[in-house]
Amino acid sequence: MDSVVEEWLASSGAPSASIAIVQEGRLTYAKAYGAARLKPRVPATLATRYAIDSVSKEFTAAALLLLAEQGKLSLDDRIEKWFPELRAAAAVTLRQLLTHTSGIRDYWPQDFLTPEMTRPTTTSAIIDEWVQRPLDFEPGTEWQYSNTGYVLAAAVVEKVSGETLFDFLQQHVFAPLHMARVTEYSPADAAGAHLSAPLTAADAAAYTRHGLGPVLPAPKEGAGWLFGAGNLAMQPSDLARWDLSLMNRSLLKAQSYDQEFGPVVLKSGRTPDYALGLAVQNIDGRLRVGHAGAGSGFLADNRVWPKDKAAVIVLTNNDWAQPSDLSERIAFMVLAPTPEEARVRDLFQALQHGTVDRRWFSTTGNFYMTSTVLADLRSSLGPLGPARLIELEREAQRGGMTLRRWKILCRAARLEATERSNPDGKFEEFMIARRED
């Protein structure tokens, strides 16, 4: 695990990464790597907090689900119930806000801070400027990511509960789950203005770079912009406690989890991979939920496999190197492989040693796997070391065989493998080449 994370830091140039891993329903590993701050250098530790940006949407959605459980609202309520002054957006429902199907224009589609976002704002100002605009589409007909929708959703939480969003979450989520070190990245004052509050000197600083240029301190979002769309900061182990509650269904009622994990269905019948504040995907028959986060100087990746009782969390203080790349490599070590993946893992390892079990191959496959081929594979693949990731990218049928394309990552090489297998499972072909992307 350590070598995989350190390789990613070295190749990406990210200052630090802090990870937490859940296996079999318990936190099994947590460690921080690299520098939380560069000048002067402050090592990242398990106590270092990072902004999680849009992973915060998981908690805003949970707040509305909790209020629904308390009978104080319904997710099918229209926004005009609390904001009657809205125009086209008045007919949007809370559910449409949480599933990004409202049609409300996103105020931050860019990957940098716009001039407006460098200045302070308030929730009211965001609503007046962005929610009052014409909708991008009829609610429920399309899926389009909208930070604006989550600002509005958080505003409803505060109106209904009579508390700030953070205070509500502290009482109903963070305290019950013993998430002791969660903080706001942009807390609100008593007048409702959201004041900029960068993390303390003991926490991670935000960094950016331009192209392949030097690593620089990242600018901070203006006060008020993050709110319910991305306002939380925490350490990975606290986020792991939240993930455990998702897989154990321990905080909300069963009906709430059914809604939270149920992908939205558009009016056309199309089903995007998103539910209530959670991306929801079935990959190789395995349910995965979670969210990514991206802000100025911070990136986050939170992945949960509820049925496997597993989770991988990666938080980092950079905004150019995607932590999802590291999450995939960690998941490769953490999750049990599918049967197809398991046999490819075994075969790749055997080819690195230049010896294979001939029973794995068809007559034609054995014809190709000559001693010369095996010797070349051993000499070229063996020095690459263990695979860091083996991932199925495509599967099709051709010539009565199953065709699979595999991505294989090693420490110093990116490879691709072409597999052709007969109905009896025997390899007709397994050819490896350097990946050129």
Side-chain angles (χ1 to χ4, degrees):
M1 189 68 67
D2 292 347
S3 61
V4 165
V5 179
E6 287 161 1
E7 287 165 14
W8 182 82
L9 286 177
S11 64
S12 68
S16 75
S18 188
I19 69 170
I21 298 168
V22 172
Q23 294 171 279
E24 298 180 354
R26 62 187 182 90
L27 180 63
T28 59
Y29 196 76
K31 190 170 180 178
Y33 305 80
R37 293 174 179 262
L38 295 176
K39 293 180 180 179
R41 190 179 190 280
V42 177
T45 71
L46 289 178
T48 302
R49 294 178 296 189
Y50 295 74
I52 64 169
D53 293 294
S54 286
V55 179
S56 303
K57 290 180 173 68
E58 298 187 30
F59 298 95
T60 301
L64 283 175
L65 283 166
L66 284 164
L67 289 170
E69 290 179 0
Q70 295 170 10
K72 296 180 178 179
L73 55 78
S74 165
L75 294 190
D76 295 315
D77 286 339
R78 291 155 60 116
I79 302 304
E80 63 186 355
K81 184 173 181 179
W82 301 279
F83 294 92
E85 71 277 14
L86 297 183
R87 294 190 283 271
V92 170
T93 67
L94 293 175
R95 190 183 305 276
Q96 289 166 340
L97 293 181
L98 298 182
T99 56
H100 297 299
T101 59
S102 68
I104 294 174
R105 179 74 55 88
D106 184 15
Y107 66 75
W108 195 11
Q110 300 88 352
D111 292 320
F112 60 92
L113 295 186
T114 63
E116 188 176 25
M117 287 193 66
T118 63
R119 299 186 291 270
T121 191
T122 64
T123 302
S124 297
I126 293 175
I127 292 173
D128 289 343
E129 181 180 354
W130 293 92
V131 181
Q132 292 284 29
R133 295 187 179 198
L135 299 180
D136 285 345
F137 52 84
E138 178 190 345
T141 62
E142 298 289 343
W143 187 93
Q144 192 176 113
Y145 197 86
S146 176
N147 289 292
T148 317
Y150 268 76
V151 169
L152 187 55
V156 172
V157 171
E158 295 195 340
K159 284 205 171 198
V160 174
S161 68
E163 304 175 70
T164 68
L165 173 65
F166 187 80
D167 286 345
F168 182 86
L169 289 171
Q170 180 65 36
Q171 178 183 352
H172 297 282
V173 178
F174 304 146
L177 296 180
H178 306 289
M179 299 170 65
R181 300 199 68 246
V182 181
T183 188
E184 292 183 281
Y185 197 42
S186 291
D189 68 7
H194 294 271
L195 303 178
S196 179
L199 294 172
T200 70
D203 295 312
Y207 293 98
T208 191
R209 71 192 302 188
H210 309 129
L212 302 181
V215 175
L216 303 169
K220 174 76 172 68
E221 297 90 347
W225 285 100
L226 299 179
F227 193 30
N231 67 322
L232 298 176
M234 62 186 72
Q235 57 196 29
S237 57
D238 274 340
L239 192 50
R241 292 180 176 88
W242 163 254
D243 290 346
L244 284 165
S245 76
L246 290 178
M247 62 184 70
N248 294 328
R249 297 189 166 212
S250 61
L251 183 71
L252 307 176
K253 295 180 179 178
Q255 183 180 9
S256 295
Y257 284 111
D258 290 342
Q259 294 184 78
E260 194 174 20
F261 292 179
V264 61
V265 180
L266 302 177
K267 291 183 179 179
S268 65
R270 187 167 66 89
T271 305
D273 294 332
Y274 203 88
L276 301 179
L278 288 171
V280 179
Q281 296 174 287
N282 273 285
I283 301 173
D284 296 328
R286 179 179 269 142
L287 174 65
R288 189 183 85 191
V289 303
H291 215 290
S296 182
F298 287 101
L299 293 171
D301 195 46
N302 184 39
R303 302 185 179 201
V304 185
W305 293 266
K307 295 180 181 178
D308 296 89
K309 301 292 185 182
V312 172
I313 299 145
V314 179
L315 306 183
T316 180
N317 55 340
N318 89 95
D319 60 12
W320 65 87
Q322 291 296 329
S324 58
D325 294 338
L326 181 54
S327 297
E328 290 174 356
R329 300 177 198 193
I330 295 173
F332 178 71
M333 293 182 280
V334 169
L335 297 176
T338 64
E340 293 78 15
E341 183 184 312
R343 72 191 198 118
V344 169
R345 290 191 192 192
D346 290 342
L347 177 57
F348 181 73
Q349 188 175 34
L351 294 175
Q352 288 185 300
H353 290 87
T355 57
V356 296
D357 187 333
R358 293 287 179 179
R359 293 173 297 179
W360 293 352
F361 288 86
S362 67
T363 301
T364 304
N366 275 308
F367 171 80
Y368 175 78
M369 284 292 174
T370 64
S371 58
T372 300
V373 170
L374 291 174
D376 287 347
L377 290 170
R378 181 184 68 249
S379 64
S380 61
L381 300 180
L384 299 179
R388 299 309 194 197
L389 178 69
I390 297 179
E391 181 179 79
L392 178 62
E393 293 192 308
R394 185 165 68 89
E395 182 174 311
Q397 299 295 316
R398 182 179 174 185
M401 292 179 286
T402 299
L403 167 65
R404 296 186 179 97
R405 302 285 189 191
W406 297 91
K407 176 172 71 175
I408 302 175
L409 302 183
C410 295
R411 183 179 63 253
R414 298 169 62 85
L415 310 172
E416 61 182 13
T418 300
E419 172 198 343
R420 300 181 196 275
S421 292
N422 290 309
D424 62 4
K426 291 188 176 183
F427 291 106
E428 183 87 356
E429 173 185 318
F430 196 83
M431 301 185 71
I432 299 173
R434 185 176 294 277
R435 193 180 180 97
E436 300 299 337
D437 62 353

PDB file of all heavy atoms in Angstrom, residues 67-79:
ATOM      1  N   LEU A  67     -34.793  15.367   7.638  1.00  0.00           N
ATOM      2  CA  LEU A  67     -35.964  16.228   7.843  1.00  0.00           C
ATOM      3  C   LEU A  67     -37.232  15.580   7.304  1.00  0.00           C
ATOM      4  O   LEU A  67     -38.315  15.750   7.885  1.00  0.00           O
ATOM      5  CB  LEU A  67     -35.724  17.590   7.179  1.00  0.00           C
ATOM      6  CG  LEU A  67     -34.689  18.479   7.878  1.00  0.00           C
ATOM      7  CD1 LEU A  67     -34.357  19.684   7.003  1.00  0.00           C
ATOM      8  CD2 LEU A  67     -35.202  18.936   9.244  1.00  0.00           C
ATOM      9  N   ALA A  68     -37.093  14.827   6.223  1.00  0.00           N
ATOM     10  CA  ALA A  68     -38.251  14.095   5.701  1.00  0.00           C
ATOM     11  C   ALA A  68     -38.688  13.019   6.689  1.00  0.00           C
ATOM     12  O   ALA A  68     -39.892  12.796   6.913  1.00  0.00           O
ATOM     13  CB  ALA A  68     -37.916  13.475   4.350  1.00  0.00           C
ATOM     14  N   GLU A  69     -37.715  12.334   7.313  1.00  0.00           N
ATOM     15  CA  GLU A  69     -38.043  11.330   8.312  1.00  0.00           C
ATOM     16  C   GLU A  69     -38.754  11.948   9.513  1.00  0.00           C
ATOM     17  O   GLU A  69     -39.609  11.311  10.133  1.00  0.00           O
ATOM     18  CB  GLU A  69     -36.765  10.624   8.781  1.00  0.00           C
ATOM     19  CG  GLU A  69     -36.139   9.712   7.743  1.00  0.00           C
ATOM     20  CD  GLU A  69     -34.862   9.037   8.223  1.00  0.00           C
ATOM     21  OE1 GLU A  69     -34.465   9.286   9.381  1.00  0.00           O
ATOM     22  OE2 GLU A  69     -34.278   8.258   7.466  1.00  0.00           O
ATOM     23  N   GLN A  70     -38.421  13.187   9.821  1.00  0.00           N
ATOM     24  CA  GLN A  70     -39.049  13.893  10.936  1.00  0.00           C
ATOM     25  C   GLN A  70     -40.423  14.455  10.565  1.00  0.00           C
ATOM     26  O   GLN A  70     -41.101  15.037  11.416  1.00  0.00           O
ATOM     27  CB  GLN A  70     -38.135  15.038  11.396  1.00  0.00           C
ATOM     28  CG  GLN A  70     -36.811  14.574  11.980  1.00  0.00           C
ATOM     29  CD  GLN A  70     -35.824  15.728  12.198  1.00  0.00           C
ATOM     30  OE1 GLN A  70     -36.200  16.904  12.081  1.00  0.00           O
ATOM     31  NE2 GLN A  70     -34.586  15.411  12.507  1.00  0.00           N
ATOM     32  N   GLY A  71     -40.837  14.257   9.321  1.00  0.00           N
ATOM     33  CA  GLY A  71     -42.152  14.730   8.881  1.00  0.00           C
ATOM     34  C   GLY A  71     -42.221  16.221   8.615  1.00  0.00           C
ATOM     35  O   GLY A  71     -43.308  16.783   8.495  1.00  0.00           O
ATOM     36  N   LYS A  72     -41.058  16.869   8.486  1.00  0.00           N
ATOM     37  CA  LYS A  72     -41.034  18.317   8.298  1.00  0.00           C
ATOM     38  C   LYS A  72     -41.047  18.737   6.834  1.00  0.00           C
ATOM     39  O   LYS A  72     -41.237  19.922   6.532  1.00  0.00           O
ATOM     40  CB  LYS A  72     -39.816  18.914   9.011  1.00  0.00           C
ATOM     41  CG  LYS A  72     -39.874  18.728  10.520  1.00  0.00           C
ATOM     42  CD  LYS A  72     -38.655  19.320  11.204  1.00  0.00           C
ATOM     43  CE  LYS A  72     -38.760  19.161  12.720  1.00  0.00           C
ATOM     44  NZ  LYS A  72     -37.561  19.705  13.416  1.00  0.00           N
ATOM     45  N   LEU A  73     -40.846  17.795   5.946  1.00  0.00           N
ATOM     46  CA  LEU A  73     -40.912  18.081   4.519  1.00  0.00           C
ATOM     47  C   LEU A  73     -41.010  16.769   3.758  1.00  0.00           C
ATOM     48  O   LEU A  73     -40.824  15.682   4.329  1.00  0.00           O
ATOM     49  CB  LEU A  73     -39.692  18.895   4.050  1.00  0.00           C
ATOM     50  CG  LEU A  73     -38.287  18.340   4.329  1.00  0.00           C
ATOM     51  CD1 LEU A  73     -37.875  17.234   3.374  1.00  0.00           C
ATOM     52  CD2 LEU A  73     -37.258  19.457   4.260  1.00  0.00           C
ATOM     53  N   SER A  74     -41.274  16.873   2.469  1.00  0.00           N
ATOM     54  CA  SER A  74     -41.231  15.734   1.556  1.00  0.00           C
ATOM     55  C   SER A  74     -40.265  16.069   0.431  1.00  0.00           C
ATOM     56  O   SER A  74     -40.200  17.230  -0.003  1.00  0.00           O
ATOM     57  CB  SER A  74     -42.621  15.448   0.969  1.00  0.00           C
ATOM     58  OG  SER A  74     -42.524  14.580  -0.154  1.00  0.00           O
ATOM     59  N   LEU A  75     -39.534  15.097  -0.036  1.00  0.00           N
ATOM     60  CA  LEU A  75     -38.613  15.362  -1.136  1.00  0.00           C
ATOM     61  C   LEU A  75     -39.340  15.748  -2.415  1.00  0.00           C
ATOM     62  O   LEU A  75     -38.718  16.291  -3.338  1.00  0.00           O
ATOM     63  CB  LEU A  75     -37.728  14.144  -1.399  1.00  0.00           C
ATOM     64  CG  LEU A  75     -36.739  13.753  -0.300  1.00  0.00           C
ATOM     65  CD1 LEU A  75     -35.766  12.690  -0.807  1.00  0.00           C
ATOM     66  CD2 LEU A  75     -35.962  14.951   0.230  1.00  0.00           C
ATOM     67  N   ASP A  76     -40.645  15.502  -2.466  1.00  0.00           N
ATOM     68  CA  ASP A  76     -41.422  15.892  -3.638  1.00  0.00           C
ATOM     69  C   ASP A  76     -42.079  17.257  -3.465  1.00  0.00           C
ATOM     70  O   ASP A  76     -42.853  17.699  -4.320  1.00  0.00           O
ATOM     71  CB  ASP A  76     -42.462  14.816  -3.954  1.00  0.00           C
ATOM     72  CG  ASP A  76     -41.797  13.503  -4.360  1.00  0.00           C
ATOM     73  OD1 ASP A  76     -40.855  13.551  -5.171  1.00  0.00           O
ATOM     74  OD2 ASP A  76     -42.199  12.442  -3.851  1.00  0.00           O
ATOM     75  N   ASP A  77     -41.777  17.950  -2.356  1.00  0.00           N
ATOM     76  CA  ASP A  77     -42.245  19.328  -2.180  1.00  0.00           C
ATOM     77  C   ASP A  77     -41.581  20.225  -3.213  1.00  0.00           C
ATOM     78  O   ASP A  77     -40.392  20.059  -3.541  1.00  0.00           O
ATOM     79  CB  ASP A  77     -41.899  19.841  -0.781  1.00  0.00           C
ATOM     80  CG  ASP A  77     -42.782  19.239   0.302  1.00  0.00           C
ATOM     81  OD1 ASP A  77     -43.878  18.766  -0.026  1.00  0.00           O
ATOM     82  OD2 ASP A  77     -42.347  19.249   1.481  1.00  0.00           O
ATOM     83  N   ARG A  78     -42.333  21.221  -3.676  1.00  0.00           N
ATOM     84  CA  ARG A  78     -41.789  22.187  -4.614  1.00  0.00           C
ATOM     85  C   ARG A  78     -41.086  23.307  -3.857  1.00  0.00           C
ATOM     86  O   ARG A  78     -41.448  23.644  -2.729  1.00  0.00           O
ATOM     87  CB  ARG A  78     -42.912  22.752  -5.490  1.00  0.00           C
ATOM     88  CG  ARG A  78     -43.484  21.715  -6.459  1.00  0.00           C
ATOM     89  CD  ARG A  78     -44.919  22.008  -6.874  1.00  0.00           C
ATOM     90  NE  ARG A  78     -45.084  23.283  -7.534  1.00  0.00           N
ATOM     91  CZ  ARG A  78     -45.478  23.448  -8.798  1.00  0.00           C
ATOM     92  NH1 ARG A  78     -45.713  22.372  -9.546  1.00  0.00           N
ATOM     93  NH2 ARG A  78     -45.652  24.639  -9.311  1.00  0.00           N
ATOM     94  N   ILE A  79     -40.084  23.893  -4.486  1.00  0.00           N
ATOM     95  CA  ILE A  79     -39.260  24.912  -3.852  1.00  0.00           C
ATOM     96  C   ILE A  79     -40.077  26.152  -3.494  1.00  0.00           C
ATOM     97  O   ILE A  79     -39.743  26.866  -2.538  1.00  0.00           O
ATOM     98  CB  ILE A  79     -38.078  25.285  -4.766  1.00  0.00           C
ATOM     99  CG1 ILE A  79     -37.232  24.049  -5.073  1.00  0.00           C
ATOM    100  CG2 ILE A  79     -37.197  26.350  -4.119  1.00  0.00           C
ATOM    101  CD1 ILE A  79     -36.712  23.333  -3.851  1.00  0.00           C
TER     102      ILE A  79
END
